[in-house]
Every structure is written in C-alpha cells, then in structure tokens.
Amino acid sequence: MTTTIALFITALAFVLVCGANDGASLLAMAVRHSSGSAVPVLLMLTAAVAAGPALFGLRVARTFTDGLIPGDAVHPALIFLCGAAAALVLVLLLTWRGIPTSITLAVLGGLAGAGSGLGERPQWARLGLVLGIAAAAPLIGAAAGFALGRGARRMPTSAGMPRLVHGAHMAAFGCQCLAYAANDGQKMFAVAAVASAGHVGGSLDTPPGLAPVVAVALVFAAGAVLSLRRVSGGAAVRLLAARPWQVASAEMASSATVLSSAALGAPVSMTQTVIGGLVGAGASEGGRRVRWQFAVPLVTAWGVTLPAAYAAGLLAGLLARGVTA
C-alpha cells in the first residue's frame, strides 16, 4: 500500500514537472514567434499529448517499463519508484533555475542507479543503445535544421511571405506537438501506468482509458502554464535571436528527428533536439548568429544530468534497500 501511494504521488508530480520543463520550453518558443494569444498553441500541445497513445501506441513508454528493468528483478516497482523520484528531484532543481534539461536522461540515469542500489543488474546493453540514440538526436536535429535553414533562405520573397512564414511556423509546431506525443511525452504514460497498476512488467498491456489520458494531459498543461514565464527568460530562448523562418526550420527538424526515433522505440529528449535544430538553423546564416555563451549552461546541465541522476537513483535505491532489508 505504501509503495502504491508513493507511486501515485510520484506520478502526479512527475507529469506536472514534465509540463513545467518540456511543455513550457516548447510553448515559450511557439508563443514568442506566433501572433495573438498563447491559448491556441497550448491547446494544440495538450490535445497532441492526449491523443498520443491512440495515434502512436505506447512503444516508447514500454521501453521505460519493460526494456530497462531486469525481468527477474525482485522489486521492479521499487526500482521504478526510486528512479522516477530521483529524476524528479534533479529536474526540479534545474527547472527552478530556468534551465531546460532532459527528463528522459534523468529517468534513464535514475532507473539505472536505483537498480544498482537495490542490488539488481541494470540492462546496460539496452541502456547504452538508448543513450546512443538520445545523444545522436540533437546532432541530427542540428544538421537537419542547418539544411532547412539554408533552404528557407533561398526562397524568393513576396508580399505574402510573412503570412506564409507564420503558417509554416504553426504547421511546424503542430508537427512538433505530435512528435513529442509520439516519443518524449510517453515517459509520462509509463510512470502513470506503473502507478495505476502497482507493478512494472505488463503495466501497459491494457491501453490507458480516456480518463487517465485526459488527466495526464491536463496536469501536463498546468505544469506548462505555471512555468512558462520562468522558462521564457531562460537560456534556451536567449540562445539565438531567431527569425520566424529559423524557428519553423528548427521545429520541423526536431519533429522529423524525434518521430524517426519513436519508430525505433527509443526515447529521446525533445528539448535537446529542438535546441539542436535551433542552433543548426541559426548557424545556416553563420556561426556568429548563435549566442554560444548561452549554450554553455545548457550543455553543462545536459552533461551532468545522466551521472547526477544515476547517483541520485543509487542513493535512493540504497536507502530503499536498507528500509526493506
């Protein structure tokens, strides 16, 4: 009973923080370069998150629940709880500083650390493959952003270009919302499914009902709204004085990259991939367009996320092992 209650509380907080970190980061860029209210883009993102399981299935979510925890683990639910809680605490600290980081990396590191702390052998081969794809995603996003940025610069100008660029931006943001729902956003459904079922293996065998899906989407949206102002002034926004066509290029680049990795069942960070696409689109006009000094805290945060999450998960696992011994 205690583990079930702790899982539920962790799941609720986890989804809220995903909104505060991932959702607010995506919205900040969209709102900054769209005219009118922030409500339409918020509704687009929320609707995509809610429709994700029905549209794309839960292959990426199953990577968290079935692919990273040993099948013969003695306390799989406890590993999941400790790993998710460790990731949650770490991301809260970084989000509070206005630095978007990778919750995906934090969860991966937290699960591996918790398993080690509880005396289980993590799935190192699978974890290494997932981390390799996650590390490649921002680089692929940057290359795609660079190519799209070069192509956008060569388009002939016309009187209707501002309207065309705005339409392209909204379409690209819609694709980005779907890509998030297909990949990075599925970690929320993994945590929610484990909390609901009370166990890890097979927790996603039954598709989530309408009520849980809507609840996840609404809590995610609340987190995004609460953190939007803080993230809007963060390093990710100041990284590049982006033009609307550069934003659209970055959004399309990140969408294609993240959707491709979803087809492999590999979770990647949308935040990282968007930043990669934005850097590539800005660099298509020359390296000086990118404010590299603002990339330093982002790279530093990403570089410490995995080892810090592993250490936090290890500590949580050791504490839980001592309590259950």
Side-chain angles (χ1 to χ4, degrees):
M1 178 62 73
T2 302
T3 301
T4 301
I5 295 174
L7 279 169
F8 177 79
I9 295 173
T10 301
L12 182 63
F14 186 86
V15 174
L16 189 68
V17 170
C18 283
N21 188 82
D22 299 345
S25 297
L26 296 177
L27 288 178
M29 187 183 301
V31 170
R32 190 179 182 89
H33 297 280
S34 63
S35 57
S37 171
V39 173
V41 291
L42 175 62
L43 290 176
M44 287 174 64
L45 181 56
T46 306
V49 169
L55 292 176
F56 305 105
L58 293 166
R59 184 175 181 182
V60 175
R62 288 191 178 91
T63 297
F64 289 103
T65 59
D66 300 334
L68 299 176
I69 296 177
D72 58 351
V74 178
H75 301 292
L78 193 56
I79 293 175
F80 201 89
L81 171 62
C82 292
L88 179 63
V89 171
L90 178 64
V91 172
L92 270 173
L93 292 175
L94 293 174
T95 301
W96 183 253
R97 298 292 301 273
I99 302 174
T101 187
S102 170
I103 301 181
T104 299
L105 282 181
V107 173
L108 294 174
L111 289 177
S116 298
L118 283 162
E120 304 286 355
R121 181 178 177 84
Q123 302 282 68
W124 292 117
R126 183 64 181 272
L127 181 63
L129 176 61
V130 169
L131 288 175
I133 296 174
L139 301 178
I140 296 173
F146 183 86
L148 289 173
R150 279 290 180 90
R153 289 181 60 197
R154 295 175 181 175
M155 292 183 63
T157 58
S158 64
M161 184 59 69
R163 181 177 299 179
L164 178 63
V165 171
H166 177 71
H169 165 59
M170 294 307 294
F173 179 72
C175 292
Q176 191 177 53
C177 292
L178 291 174
Y180 180 80
N183 191 315
D184 203 11
Q186 292 205 5
K187 60 183 177 286
M188 296 185 293
F189 291 103
V191 176
V194 173
S196 177
H199 57 83
V200 178
S203 59
L204 288 167
D205 287 349
T206 302
L210 179 61
V213 167
V214 172
V216 167
L218 291 179
V219 173
F220 172 82
V225 171
L226 290 173
S227 186
L228 180 59
R229 179 175 295 181
R230 179 180 298 276
V231 173
S232 294
V237 176
R238 293 178 289 171
L239 182 65
L240 176 70
R243 299 184 174 92
W245 61 266
Q246 291 173 324
V247 174
S249 298
E251 289 170 336
M252 288 302 298
S254 61
S255 299
T257 303
V258 172
L259 278 171
S260 298
S261 62
L264 301 174
V268 301
S269 169
M270 174 62 86
T271 304
Q272 287 188 348
T273 311
V274 170
I275 295 299
L278 200 58
V279 168
S284 67
E285 283 192 305
R288 293 184 179 181
R289 287 284 301 161
V290 181
R291 297 167 179 168
W292 297 105
Q293 68 272 27
F294 293 114
V296 174
L298 291 174
V299 173
T300 301
W302 294 338
V304 302
T305 294
L306 186 63
Y310 181 86
L314 179 64
L315 177 60
L318 288 172
L319 291 175
R321 188 177 183 179
V323 170
T324 57

